[in-house]
Amino acid sequence: SFVSAFLLTQTACEDGKDEFLDDFSTILYFRNSGEIPVSVYNTGEDANYQVVINKGGSELNAVTEVSIGTMDDATLAIYNAEEGVKYKAIPATCYELNGDRKFTFAANELYKTMDITLKTELIDGLPALNTGEEYVLLFYFHATGALSYLCFT
């Protein structure tokens, strides 16, 4: 069985990251703002996915760190209202966030990746997928509030 999914990212800097380079020495953001199609196939095996965190700004050689968390239902309700969508939070049993969620960028590092294991059989069995509703896995930077959404339709 096939599940169509997309990654929807928003950052605190939106698409105009360049306009902030003079104001901020270092900016951390999720790669690729907007929707990114992802295909998830129920092969009976888990699927791996990576979320990329980029470092930019006028001081690329700066050492910086960020922690990534997952958002709760209350935050999702606010997002749904602001964006006019009706996403549902994907159950925590449908994914695993692998490794540490705190990322330290050395002076020479411009990106890091966060690995996610998607439980394809559990995702495929979500009841709303058969009615066209969409589930979402929400990530954010603790320090900046930048958002990243992994959506399952």
Side-chain angles (χ1 to χ4, degrees):
S1 171
F2 167 77
V3 176
S4 173
F6 60 93
L7 177 68
L8 174 63
T9 59
Q10 291 186 333
T11 63
C13 301
E14 292 298 321
D15 290 329
K17 291 181 279 290
D18 294 341
E19 70 183 84
F20 294 100
L21 296 183
D22 292 335
D23 298 333
F24 301 102
S25 60
T26 305
I27 298 171
L28 297 175
Y29 59 95
F30 292 108
R31 182 178 288 171
N32 300 323
S33 295
E35 294 181 9
I36 304 166
V38 177
S39 298
V40 179
Y41 295 92
N42 182 1
T43 61
E45 296 181 12
D46 294 343
N48 296 314
Y49 191 83
Q50 287 187 330
V51 173
V52 178
I53 304 117
N54 286 331
K55 178 174 77 170
S58 58
E59 297 291 329
L60 289 177
N61 61 347
V63 175
T64 190
E65 64 182 38
V66 67
S67 294
I68 298 191
T70 55
M71 291 190 183
D72 57 23
D73 289 336
T75 305
L76 177 57
I78 293 168
Y79 179 81
N80 283 343
E82 289 177 354
E83 298 297 320
V85 295
K86 295 182 180 180
Y87 293 138
K88 293 184 177 196
I90 191 167
T93 56
C94 293
Y95 65 91
E96 290 179 12
L97 303 179
N98 305 317
D100 194 5
R101 289 188 216 145
K102 183 175 182 179
F103 298 90
T104 301
F105 288 79
N108 62 344
E109 292 178 305
L110 297 179
Y111 73 94
K112 297 276 189 173
T113 58
M114 181 175 72
D115 296 318
I116 305 164
T117 299
L118 303 174
K119 307 293 185 176
T120 60
E121 287 185 356
L122 296 175
I123 292 170
D124 189 52
L126 293 172
L129 287 177
N130 298 323
T131 63
E133 292 180 284
E134 298 171 321
Y135 282 90
V136 64
L137 174 56
L138 299 98
F139 301 106
Y140 71 101
F141 292 148
H142 283 288
T144 65
L147 308 175
S148 180
Y149 305 91
L150 187 59
C151 303
F152 303 88
T153 56

